[in-house]
Amino acid sequence: MTSRIGDLVVKAQDPDRLSRFWCEALGYEVSAKDETGVAISGASNAPTILFERSDNSFADGTLHLDLCPTDRSQADELERLLSLGAKPTDVVPLGSWYVLADPEGNRFCLMARRIPREPEDFHD
């Protein structure tokens, strides 16, 4: 028997803004929202991401995700993510990935490797 990730928790100064960014970036939808934060979800077999309200600021953010394009090149996906509010970091691209930051500075990587899209029942 193994364990699976059920939730990923991200400390956020503005959970609404981050949830909108990550919903657009990942194709997720808001699944819960209250005074403590916002939860977004994709397919039933994908982890829920919880953006928990926090007034603390963190130099390097609180979570790191690796994103892989599904239906376009890495360059096209980089352009799309930047248009959504991602920011380049001072980390020089190494190998086949770019290190970016979301609107609050949480770092994530955009990989060159493409992966299949989520199944049609992604939001079941």
Side-chain angles (χ1 to χ4, degrees), residues 18 21-22 59-61 63 78 81-82 84-90 98-110:
L18 281 187
F21 173 84
W22 285 109
D60 289 328
L63 180 68
L78 176 62
L81 292 171
L82 292 172
L84 292 174
K87 304 282 187 225
T89 65
D90 58 355
Y98 289 92
V99 180
L100 303 170
D102 70 15
E104 284 195 7
N106 298 299
R107 291 184 177 189
F108 65 97
C109 290
L110 174 61

Side-chain angles (χ1 to χ4, degrees), residues 5-74:
I5 296 171
D7 301 309
L8 300 173
V9 179
V10 179
K11 302 286 187 186
Q13 293 175 17
D14 187 346
D16 291 316
R17 181 176 69 169
L18 281 187
S19 66
R20 285 191 305 272
F21 173 84
W22 285 109
C23 278
E24 287 294 323
L26 300 174
Y28 277 36
E29 297 177 342
V30 172
S31 55
K33 182 177 179 178
D34 63 17
E35 67 280 350
T36 65
V38 180
I40 65 172
S41 301
S44 59
N45 62 351
T48 297
I49 304 173
L50 307 172
F51 297 98
E52 182 178 75
R53 189 172 311 283
S54 173
D55 293 330
N56 295 331
S57 60
F58 302 94
D60 289 328
T62 59
L63 180 68
H64 178 97
L65 302 174
D66 288 339
L67 303 184
C68 297
T70 60
D71 61 352
R72 63 194 73 199
S73 70
Q74 182 186 40

Side-chain angles (χ1 to χ4, degrees), residues 26 28 42-43 45-46 70 115-122:
L26 300 174
Y28 277 36
N45 62 351
T70 60
I115 59 174
R117 294 180 61 98
E118 294 290 338
E120 288 300 316
D121 61 352
F122 183 65

